[in-house]
Amino acid sequence: MSDFFSAKISKTQSLSGSRVTQLVMKMSRVIFAIVLLALLWQLVDGEQAIQLIVSANPLWLALAALALAMQIVFSALRWRLTASQLGVTLDKRTSIKEYFLSQAVNQTLPGGVIGDAARAFRSRSQAGLVASGQAVFLERMAGLVALVVVMFLAFAITAGFGIVDWPGWLLLALALFFALTVLLIGAFWVVGKTSKGNVQKAIFSIVSATKVSLLAPSVRWTQLSLSLAIVISNIAGFTFVAWAIGSDLSFVASLALVPLILLAMLVPLTISGWGIRESAAVILFPMVGLASVEGLAASFAFGLVSLAVSAPGVIFALTTGKKRESENLRANSE
């Protein structure tokens, strides 16, 4: 009996320690974001950045919000198409609502993927959690691949035709990034060919799901069209925000610049890339002849517009919760 209680106490202490560790990690991300933004405020004239944001052109901000809203809608349609190929059927209304909700969660909670995980969990009833999880994962990976491809093409065109004089170190970094990506793909292929057991099954499962949901002849062109529409909408949203604060960022340059800024948000050190995104913009804007303060203002304003656009997801969560509560009360009364 004493062993039983000791095991219970040990398990409870382990869970408590895990929760404390998670809380510390979350708080450290918040603090790191605040520290980064505070440093940028001091280094790049934060007061001027705030003035640029306050005096932003409302028409361009509205167009930016529309572009980012369309990006979420296109993403929801891509998720719906990907999921349908894996046996998960979603109507357009539900997929769009769920995607707005996941974006709202991703932008307000540490990690940046909690909303996606919840989206996979809520859509698991038809084909199981593995299929719903694969649908969410592959949809997001398709977006990441499309963003990287557009970025590389934009850099190749702007550098090749002398449209933008990019610094050598940046082009070298991109070349190394490309080489690393090729090596990772090669390593994944080798592991898939040489591994056995559960590892081989997992790799085979994700490869098969990719072929069915993204590369099948019946969906590949629709997937490509949606992915391009999502990337262009995202880049347009940032560009319109930059124009709203008075920046002369050209759309051609933004095709290369903005994906780099957005990719910086993947670094899991803050909440939804706050601080890291602004740091990237401050570094990259001068490369196209623009002031660092414009990069800070544009990036910060982009974050605010993104939060505003995803706000309907919170409304959806609240209304859905009230609806379920009323249904439960009605069921209990009957």
Side-chain angles (χ1 to χ4, degrees), residues 199-330:
V199 174
Q200 188 179 51
K201 289 180 181 179
I203 293 176
F204 178 78
S205 176
I206 197 67
V207 170
S208 299
T210 301
K211 292 179 179 179
V212 170
S213 62
L214 300 180
L215 304 178
S218 59
V219 298
R220 64 175 61 153
W221 294 112
T222 305
Q223 287 281 16
L224 178 61
S225 300
L226 285 171
S227 293
L228 287 176
I230 292 164
V231 171
I232 296 302
S233 297
N234 223 345
I235 293 174
F238 193 101
T239 306
F240 292 160
V241 169
W243 292 351
I245 58 102
S247 176
D248 291 327
L249 176 66
S250 69
F251 194 78
V252 175
S254 70
L255 290 173
L257 204 67
V258 175
L260 264 182
I261 296 172
L262 298 179
L263 287 172
M265 296 171 62
L266 296 178
V267 179
L269 296 177
T270 66
I271 297 178
S272 191
W274 282 95
I276 295 178
R277 178 185 58 227
E278 285 69 32
S279 299
V282 165
I283 294 171
L284 294 171
F285 261 55
M287 295 181 187
V288 291
L290 302 174
S292 295
V293 68
E294 293 179 11
L296 176 59
S299 182
F300 196 85
F302 175 81
L304 295 177
V305 173
S306 298
L307 281 174
V309 168
S310 65
V314 178
I315 299 173
F316 164 63
L318 293 174
T319 55
T320 301
K322 290 181 179 179
K323 182 179 179 181
R324 287 177 180 171
E325 185 178 349
S326 62
E327 289 175 351
N328 291 335
L329 289 173
R330 191 182 302 112

Side-chain angles (χ1 to χ4, degrees), residues 47-67:
E47 291 184 3
Q48 184 183 352
I50 294 298
Q51 290 176 1
L52 290 174
I53 295 173
V54 171
S55 60
N57 186 312
L59 177 59
W60 282 122
L61 289 179
L63 289 174
L66 177 61

